[in-house]
């Protein structure tokens, strides 16, 4: 009988895997993961990635820390990463409640903060979750958190807009348990930018599993009588007392939450369908992903920096392949509230430089075809889904109007604004321009998009590509768009001119430098998932 000996490469691979597992076990004994949620995380997630509770801890900054490190020393690490001096940091422990919600429960005591991270972590063997409370002045400089007594409770606030059918996080307040909501209505209005005397309705978000409980709050009763305590969530909205609530699909917070809960249940059921059933139905349906200005505004500068949108995070429609595109437009009208006659669709295309941009609008002939035929028109290489950009133009009162007629001479450009002081970039809109025209002719319009004065001096840059390296070039405003080789779907980034300023005061004075920094940061994050900033990375290598 012949014995088969394992191939040397197989043995080597097995040994490497064993060694890796051994290292991981040692590391688990020596290190812990600390996940720190901040107001910024709540604002980024609520109303976009999640609706109930406060944060998805898997998407906040995670620190890989030795268990023996004193918590006071860990605060120094946080200070370097978030640039929040130690004296301005206050930490809260999270707790899972009996109703399955997960909320900040209590602030760490002075005695606890002198313990080691490992001691603090007892009772939670997997990881330590914290909420970092930081108070900011109007100029965004931090100041020490106010003293908290047993009478004080920390509440979190979400604002709901029944017209837009959107909810978002707007902040938190320390209030007295014996106090009444009536006494803080002015502060709540201030959180969302309302006038001090705006009438608002308050609701407590209590739980969402297995069903939603969100109850109206009597503003004249004390927080104690309403059984409201640390970590509770108050949702509020403008009062509809003098309005016809029938004009809204979900006039109040509870009805909106019920809808979102049912929608998520339906979505989960669809995701849990047996693979076989999915395969059986797959050939009958197409997925159509529709990106809008709202998606670009929400994602650029937060979730993405290059190109225009992450199509996995826009609204998806599951449509029968044989449905005429004209009928699909009616589905969109129901979902987004945009009448068919005000909709214009653009096909996306992947360019040779790997960027992905709107390429051209659908023709009248294409719109009478079936969804399946359109699929073949847009991208024969990718039959899984159809990606579209929905162009909608709005009046000043936000009512839609018919898209303007275009000629072959006109091109659609997208614009991002960069602020070197805040080191932030954001989407500000799009414009149709004449190919033969020059950027000089639209500077006033660009200033208007950014909210600048009409004669503000600005610099323009074209965002060309970001793979395998960033290419972002200065645009000569005196050259025509055609001579600058700008066309449909191109992106122009602009900023205030620094000609009369000392650019040394900025880390990344111009768009190209900022985009290169962001790109380098993303490369490092891909290689080292725990790294959140270039500064942390380079300091660790010194």
């Amino acid at each position: 009988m012949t014995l088969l000996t394992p191939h040397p490469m197989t043995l080597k691979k097995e040994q490497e895997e064993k060694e890796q597992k051994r290292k991981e076990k040692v590391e688990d004994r020596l290190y812990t993961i600390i996940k720190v949620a901040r107001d910024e995380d709540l604002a980024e997630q609520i109303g976009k990635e999640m609706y109930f509770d406060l944060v998805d801890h898997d998407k906040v900054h995670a620190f890989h820390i030795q268990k023996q490190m004193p918590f006071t020393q860990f605060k120094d690490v946080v200070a370097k990463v978030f640039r929040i001096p130690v004296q301005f940091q206050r930490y809260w422990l999270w707790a899972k409640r009996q109703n399955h919600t997960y909320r900040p429960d209590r602030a760490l005591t002075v005695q606890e903060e002198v313990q080691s991270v490992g001691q603090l972590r007892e009772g939670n063997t997997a990881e330590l979750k914290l909420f970092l409370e930081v108070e900011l002045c109007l100029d965004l400089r931090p100041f020490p958190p106010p003293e908290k007594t047993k009478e004080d409770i920390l509440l979190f606030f979400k604002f709901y807009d029944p017209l837009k059918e959107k909810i978002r996080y707007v902040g938190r307040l320390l209030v007295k348990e014996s106090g009444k909501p009536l006494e803080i209505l002015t502060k709540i209005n201030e959180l969302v930018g309302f006038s001090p005397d705006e009438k608002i309705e308050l609701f407590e978000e209590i739980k969402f599993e297995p069903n939603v409980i969100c109850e109206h709050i009597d503003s004249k009763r004390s927080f104690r009588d309403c059984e409201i305590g640390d970590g509770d969530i108050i949702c509020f909205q403008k009062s509809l007392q003098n309005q016809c609530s029938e004009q809204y699909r979900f006039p109040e917070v509870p009805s909106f939450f019920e809808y979102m809960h049912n929608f998520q249940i339906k979505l989960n059921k669809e995701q849990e369908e047996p693979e076989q059933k999915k395969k059986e139905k797959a050939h009958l349906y197409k997925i159509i992903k529709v990106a809008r200005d709202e998606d670009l505004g929400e994602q650029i500068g937060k979730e993405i920096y290059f190109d225009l949108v992450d199509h996995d995070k826009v609204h998806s429609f599951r449509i029968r392949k044989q449905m005429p595109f004209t009928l699909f437009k009616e589905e969109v009208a129901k979902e987004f509230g945009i009448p068919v006659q005000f909709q214009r669709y653009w096909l996306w295309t992947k360019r040779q430089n790997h960027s992905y941009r709107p390429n051209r609008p659908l023709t009248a002939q294409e719109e009478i075809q079936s969804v399946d035929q359109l699929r073949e028109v847009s991208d024969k290489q990718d039959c899984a889904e159809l990606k579209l950009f929905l162009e909608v133009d709005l009046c000043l009162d936000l009512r839609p109007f018919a898209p303007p007629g275009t000629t072959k001479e006109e091109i659609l450009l997208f614009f991002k604004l960069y602020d070197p002081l805040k080191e932030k970039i954001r989407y500000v809109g799009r414009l149709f321009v004449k190919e033969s025209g020059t950027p000089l002719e639209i500077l006033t319009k660009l200033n208007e998009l950014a909210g600048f004065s009409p004669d503000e001096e600005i610099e323009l840059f074209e965002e060309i590509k970001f793979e395998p390296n960033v290419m972002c070039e200065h645009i000569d405003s005196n050259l025509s768009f055609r001579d600058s080789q700008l066309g449909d779907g191109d992106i122009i980034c602009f900023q205030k001119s620094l000609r009369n300023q000392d650019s040394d005061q900025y880390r990344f004075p111009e768009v190209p430098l900022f985009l290169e920094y962001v790109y380098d940061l993303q490369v490092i994050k891909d290689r080292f998932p725990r790294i959140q900033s270039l500064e942390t990375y380079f300091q660790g290598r010194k």
Side-chain angles (χ1 to χ4, degrees):
M1 183 174 69
T2 305
L3 291 174
L4 296 174
T5 57
H7 191 281
M9 287 301 290
T10 305
L11 284 172
K12 186 181 178 184
K13 188 176 180 183
E14 287 177 356
Q15 287 168 354
E16 286 175 351
E17 286 176 354
K18 284 180 182 177
E19 179 61 19
Q20 182 61 30
K21 284 179 182 177
R22 188 191 67 79
K23 284 181 179 178
E24 286 174 1
K25 284 182 180 178
V26 171
E27 199 171 84
D28 283 343
R29 288 198 297 269
L30 298 176
Y31 290 84
T32 190
I33 300 296
I34 304 181
K35 293 184 175 180
V36 178
R38 301 179 294 153
D39 283 308
E40 290 88 337
D41 300 303
L42 277 59
E44 280 180 14
Q45 293 185 28
I46 291 169
K48 298 169 190 171
E49 301 171 12
M50 57 181 291
Y51 294 87
F52 305 103
D53 262 359
L54 291 170
V55 77
D56 179 348
H57 292 274
D58 290 335
K59 295 179 180 177
V60 304
H61 193 112
F63 295 84
H64 190 236
I65 300 294
Q66 281 196 335
K67 289 182 182 178
Q68 297 309 312
M69 178 184 282
F71 191 82
T72 48
Q73 196 174 327
F74 166 69
K75 291 172 74 173
D76 289 329
V77 175
V78 173
K80 289 175 186 173
V81 174
F82 293 146
R83 297 181 185 175
I84 304 295
V86 168
Q87 67 270 28
F88 303 141
Q89 302 172 19
R90 177 156 64 196
Y91 292 87
W92 290 69
L93 291 167
W94 293 77
K96 189 167 186 176
R97 298 180 175 182
Q98 287 184 331
N99 63 10
H100 305 295
T101 58
Y102 205 64
R103 308 283 176 82
D105 183 54
R106 64 176 180 83
L108 285 181
T109 63
V110 176
Q111 291 76 14
E112 285 173 323
E113 289 201 4
V114 297
Q115 294 178 359
S116 70
V117 164
Q119 288 173 298
L120 263 182
R121 188 171 166 268
E122 283 179 14
N124 181 5
T125 54
E127 57 199 19
L128 175 62
K129 297 187 180 81
L130 298 172
F131 174 71
L132 171 55
E133 177 192 353
V134 177
E135 304 299 328
L136 299 175
C137 306
L138 290 175
D139 60 2
L140 301 184
R141 284 185 298 112
F143 63 90
E147 184 183 349
K148 184 183 184 299
T149 66
K150 288 183 179 179
E151 167 73 0
D152 293 316
I153 55 175
L154 180 66
L155 302 180
F156 295 82
F157 293 86
K158 299 179 184 179
F159 168 64
Y160 173 60
D161 184 336
L163 182 62
K164 294 181 180 177
E165 294 177 7
K166 286 191 175 182
I167 199 161
R168 61 187 173 94
Y169 175 70
V170 291
R172 54 184 163 71
L173 292 173
L174 272 178
V175 302
K176 299 290 182 187
E177 249 193 325
S178 57
K180 300 173 184 177
L182 195 66
E183 297 162 0
I184 62 164
L185 293 185
T186 302
K187 286 185 179 178
I188 297 175
N189 277 326
E190 189 180 319
L191 288 177
V192 80
F194 289 164
S195 61
D197 56 352
E198 181 69 54
K199 286 189 178 179
I200 53 176
E201 299 292 335
L202 309 182
F203 302 85
E204 183 189 0
E205 180 189 318
I206 300 171
K207 69 168 191 168
F208 56 94
E209 290 295 349
N211 55 286
V212 172
I213 294 183
C214 182
E215 296 178 349
H216 188 272
I217 295 172
D218 184 345
S219 296
K220 295 177 181 176
R221 296 179 66 198
S222 71
F223 292 105
R224 185 181 290 113
D225 290 341
C226 293
E227 297 183 7
I228 291 174
D230 278 321
D232 280 335
I233 301 170
I234 292 180
C235 304
F236 67 100
Q237 65 179 86
K238 284 187 178 182
S239 174
L240 302 180
Q241 204 168 331
N242 299 319
Q243 291 186 48
C244 173
S245 62
E246 291 177 1
Q247 66 180 304
Y248 306 108
R249 288 202 306 167
F250 314 110
E252 292 189 328
V253 178
S255 59
F256 174 72
F257 274 155
E258 288 282 354
Y259 165 75
M260 289 309 306
H261 183 65
N262 293 333
F263 177 75
Q264 287 182 348
I265 290 173
K266 182 183 174 185
L267 200 62
N268 291 339
K269 281 182 180 177
E270 286 178 1
Q271 290 171 348
E272 290 166 5
E273 275 186 338
E275 280 302 313
Q276 189 56 38
K277 283 188 177 180
K278 287 184 181 179
K279 286 175 183 176
E280 288 171 3
K281 292 180 179 180
H283 72 281
L284 298 175
Y285 292 86
K286 282 293 178 188
I287 300 298
I288 303 182
K289 295 184 175 180
V290 179
R292 301 179 293 155
D293 280 311
E294 289 87 341
D295 299 305
L296 278 59
E298 284 178 9
Q299 292 186 27
I300 292 170
K302 298 169 189 171
E303 299 169 13
I304 67 170
Y305 292 86
F306 305 103
D307 266 356
L308 291 170
V309 76
D310 179 348
H311 291 275
D312 290 334
K313 294 179 180 177
V314 304
H315 197 104
S316 293
F317 295 83
R318 189 167 180 261
I319 302 295
R320 281 187 172 271
K321 289 180 179 179
Q322 298 310 312
M323 177 185 280
F325 191 80
T326 47
L327 279 183
F328 166 69
K329 291 174 74 172
E330 291 178 14
E331 293 291 319
V332 173
K334 290 176 191 172
E335 185 63 36
F336 294 146
I338 306 294
V340 168
Q341 67 270 28
F342 302 142
Q343 302 172 18
R344 178 157 60 197
Y345 293 87
W346 288 68
L347 292 168
W348 294 77
T349 189
K350 189 166 187 176
R351 298 179 174 181
Q352 286 184 331
N353 64 10
H354 306 295
S355 59
Y356 205 66
R357 308 285 176 82
N359 179 245
R360 63 173 181 83
L362 288 179
T363 64
Q365 291 77 16
E366 286 172 326
E367 290 202 3
I368 59 174
Q369 294 177 354
S370 69
V371 164
D372 197 33
Q373 287 172 299
L374 261 183
R375 190 66 211 89
E376 292 173 8
V377 170
S378 72
D379 186 355
K380 292 179 182 177
Q381 300 302 313
D382 180 11
C383 59
E385 59 196 22
L386 172 62
K387 298 186 183 82
L388 298 171
F389 174 70
L390 171 55
E391 176 196 347
V392 177
D393 290 292
L394 301 174
C395 305
L396 291 175
D397 61 3
L398 300 183
R399 285 184 299 111
F401 62 88
T406 58
T407 64
K408 289 182 179 179
E409 163 72 2
E410 289 179 304
I411 55 174
L412 179 65
L413 300 179
F414 294 82
F415 295 89
K416 299 179 185 178
L417 171 68
Y418 173 59
D419 183 336
L421 182 62
K422 295 180 179 177
E423 293 178 7
K424 287 192 175 181
I425 199 163
R426 63 186 175 92
Y427 175 70
V428 290
R430 52 183 163 76
L431 291 174
F432 276 104
V433 300
K434 300 282 186 186
E435 258 194 316
S436 58
T438 64
L440 199 63
E441 296 163 358
I442 63 161
L443 293 185
T444 304
K445 286 185 180 178
L446 295 186
N447 279 326
E448 189 180 323
L449 287 178
F452 296 161
S453 60
D455 55 353
E456 181 70 52
E457 278 192 40
I458 54 176
E459 299 291 336
L460 277 52
F461 303 84
E462 183 192 0
E463 180 190 315
I464 300 170
K465 67 168 188 168
F466 56 95
E467 290 290 353
N469 54 283
V470 172
M471 190 178 289
C472 181
E473 297 180 349
H474 188 272
I475 295 173
D476 185 340
S477 295
N478 295 305
L479 281 176
S480 71
F481 293 104
R482 183 182 291 114
D483 290 341
S484 296
Q485 296 183 338
L486 289 163
D488 279 321
D490 280 335
I491 301 170
I492 292 180
C493 305
F494 67 101
Q495 64 179 84
K496 286 185 178 181
S497 174
L498 302 180
R499 193 184 306 174
N500 299 320
Q501 292 188 47
D502 177 15
S503 61
D504 290 341
Q505 65 181 302
Y506 306 107
R507 291 203 306 165
F508 314 109
E510 291 190 330
V511 178
L513 290 172
F514 174 72
L515 291 181
E516 283 173 11
Y517 164 75
V518 171
Y519 178 75
D520 290 342
L521 180 56
Q522 288 181 348
V523 169
I524 290 171
K525 278 185 182 178
D526 290 340
R527 292 181 186 170
F528 309 98
R530 294 190 182 103
I531 298 296
Q532 293 293 319
S533 74
L534 288 177
E535 288 81 356
T536 308
Y537 174 70
F538 289 122
Q539 283 171 9
R541 290 177 65 88
K542 286 180 182 177

